[in-house]
Amino acid sequence: EDNKINDLAKMLYDDAKKDHYYPDFQPTDPADQMNWYKFNRTYTENLTRAMGKGLSFCYNPSITDANSVKNVEDATTMISYAYNSDPSEMLEVLNELITKNIINANDKVFFCSFANFQVNKDDKFRKSNLGNTNAPTVGAQVDDNPFEKIARKVKKFIIVHTSGVDIYSRKWCCYELTRALMSLQQSAGENQIYMTGSKAYCRKVKAALMKL
């Protein structure tokens, strides 16, 4: 049985190696950047596939089954970002937010790539020992509309701009913002909405303004 699992694990790794975005490998074209779609496929999916739950739950030892999720504290902060943005720019912004204490140790952060289970129903390993047939599909999670629930629940809603893509070109990001604005209006000033961006994004905006 152990040999069978090891064979499946090697198959999984060999499959991931075909994608040059896998964390062990570097892209050959400097202009060809990592984004969250690629990050999920080559890292998050492979780490969580057998567990059948999102990355944040995998790192939470108190989450053992669906019932234990009911005991998890509600998110206090939501990060809104485009999936085709650069994770390295996101890391830079998050470090800055932590340094300025906008995000602190008491916050429970909803970050979609890590909060939701990312493995699609047609994943080739889903029905193997490396998969989890009881895990929710991406479609089922979207149908449950976690984005509205979280955006209207959190006290801090943080919009992160990066250089590669306009966040408002993504319908989900616009939808999240409308929900956060509704919550802000109803909170009598208790909730907060932040808008920030990476250094590369700020340089891009500055260059565009200089051309006006």
Side-chain angles (χ1 to χ4, degrees):
E1 186 67 22
D2 287 343
N3 288 336
K4 188 175 181 180
I5 293 176
N6 288 337
D7 288 343
L8 284 168
K10 184 177 185 305
M11 189 191 311
L12 174 63
Y13 183 75
D14 288 343
D15 183 69
K17 281 202 302 184
K18 295 174 185 176
D19 191 323
H20 65 273
Y21 297 102
Y22 196 76
D24 287 356
F25 307 92
Q26 297 297 319
T28 54
D29 182 357
D32 194 10
Q33 294 185 331
M34 174 70 88
N35 62 37
W36 289 104
Y37 290 112
K38 299 164 186 172
F39 185 94
N40 286 340
R41 181 190 180 279
T42 58
Y43 177 72
T44 310
E45 289 183 19
N46 292 334
L47 191 61
T48 62
R49 179 179 279 106
M51 302 293 285
K53 54 188 177 182
L55 192 62
S56 59
F57 281 174
C58 290
Y59 281 96
N60 187 334
S62 67
I63 304 299
T64 56
D65 54 33
N67 289 326
S68 59
V69 176
K70 299 174 183 177
N71 300 320
V72 174
E73 294 182 59
D74 289 337
T76 62
T77 303
M78 180 176 183
I79 309 294
S80 182
Y81 62 102
Y83 258 42
N84 48 345
S85 60
D86 187 341
S88 63
E89 291 186 39
M90 174 63 74
L91 178 61
E92 170 206 310
V93 173
L94 291 178
N95 282 331
E96 186 73 11
L97 291 169
I98 293 169
T99 299
K100 294 182 176 178
N101 203 37
I102 294 173
I103 296 177
N104 58 62
N106 294 320
D107 284 320
K108 310 296 186 297
V109 180
F110 179 90
F111 192 87
C112 183
S113 292
F114 301 157
N116 289 339
F117 186 57
Q118 299 291 336
V119 180
N120 284 296
K121 64 180 180 180
D122 57 351
D123 178 77
K124 70 169 71 175
F125 298 101
R126 191 178 182 87
K127 294 182 179 180
S128 74
N129 287 343
L130 290 176
N132 191 311
T133 56
N134 296 319
T137 64
V138 172
Q141 292 173 93
V142 171
D143 288 343
D144 197 38
N145 205 353
F147 309 107
E148 174 172 15
K149 292 176 180 177
I150 299 297
R152 299 194 69 164
K153 173 76 72 173
V154 296
K155 300 300 182 184
K156 290 184 247 183
F157 183 83
I158 303 174
I159 303 160
V160 177
H161 292 270
T162 54
S163 62
V165 61
D166 178 3
I167 191 171
Y168 299 120
S169 68
R170 309 299 299 174
K171 293 179 181 179
W172 273 119
C173 296
C174 296
Y175 178 76
E176 292 167 358
L177 177 57
T178 62
R179 272 42 216 164
L181 287 169
M182 291 173 65
S183 180
L184 177 68
Q185 186 179 34
Q186 296 165 2
S187 73
E190 183 180 351
N191 293 1
Q192 296 173 302
I193 294 180
Y194 297 87
M195 185 180 297
T196 185
S198 65
K199 292 178 182 177
Y201 169 78
C202 293
R203 288 194 296 269
K204 186 176 180 180
V205 171
K206 183 178 180 180
L209 289 173
M210 294 294 288
K211 293 179 180 180
L212 295 179

